[in-house]
C-alpha cells in the first residue's frame, strides 16, 4: 500500500468518503459525529492509503497536549487483514516522531484492542462509549 499525506481539499474529501463508508455506512456512526471540526483544522494531518491506485484506507492525526493522537483509522472491508491498518499506524507514528514527540494515543474500538496491543499500545482507561461503540484509550511510548 502506498500512503500519502493528504493536503488538497479534493484529496481530503476522498479520505472523508472512505471514512463515511467504514464508519457511517458499515458501523452506523452518525455522520455528524464522524466528520467534525478537527477535519478542517490546519494542524490535522490526513493520511490516505492506495493499493493499485485505488483508495482503500484513511486516517487522521492530531497533535494534542504533547502527543500525537491517532484517529479515524479505517480500511475498506474487502482489504482488511492485509496489514494495511498497521502500515497506516506506522506512518502516523513516524509523523509524530518527526515532530519530536514520543507519545502516541488513540481511542480503540474494543474489538480492535488486540490489534493495537500487537503494535505496542497499552490500555490506559476503562471502557467508554463513543458514537454508540465501546472504546478504550490506549497509549504507546515511541522510541
Amino acid at each position: 500500500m502506498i500512503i500519502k499525506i493528504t493536503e488538497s481539499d479534493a484529496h481530503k474529501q476522498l479520505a472523508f468518503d472512505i471514512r463515511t463508508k467504514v464508519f457511517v455506512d458499515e458501523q452506523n456512526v452518525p455522520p455528524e459525529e464522524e466528520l467534525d471540526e478537527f477535519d478542517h483544522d490546519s494542524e490535522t494531518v490526513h493520511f490516505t492509503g492506495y493499493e493499485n491506485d485505488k483508495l482503500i484506507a484513511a486516517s487522521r492525526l492530531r497533535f494534542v497536549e504533547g502527543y500525537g493522537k491517532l484517529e479515524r483509522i479505517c480500511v475498506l472491508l474487502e482489504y482488511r487483514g492485509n496489514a494495511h491498518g498497521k502500515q497506516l499506524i506506522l506512518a502516523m507514528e513516524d509523523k509524530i516522531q518527526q515532530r519530536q514527540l514520543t507519545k502516541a494515543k488513540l481511542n480503540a474500538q474494543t474489538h480492535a484492542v488486540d490489534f493495537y496491543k500487537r503494535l505496542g499500545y497499552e490500555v490506559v482507561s476503562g471502557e467508554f462509549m463513543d458514537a454508540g461503540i465501546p472504546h478504550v484509550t490506549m497509549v504507546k511510548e515511541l522510541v
Side-chain angles (χ1 to χ4, degrees), residues 5 7 45 47 61 63 68 90-103 142-143:
I5 291 179
E7 296 182 1
V45 181
F47 294 79
L61 175 63
F63 299 97
L90 293 175
M92 296 169 81
E93 290 175 353
D94 184 56
K95 189 69 170 172
I96 293 168
Q97 290 177 309
Q98 289 175 21
R99 291 266 183 120
Q100 307 299 313
L101 300 174
T102 59
K103 185 176 179 181
L142 304 174
V143 290

Side-chain angles (χ1 to χ4, degrees), residues 49-69:
Y50 297 82
E51 187 170 274
N52 299 323
D53 294 324
K54 177 180 169 62
L55 180 60
I56 64 164
S59 63
R60 79 176 185 196
L61 175 63
R62 295 190 307 119
F63 299 97
V64 181
E65 299 174 0
Y67 60 84
K69 188 162 190 267

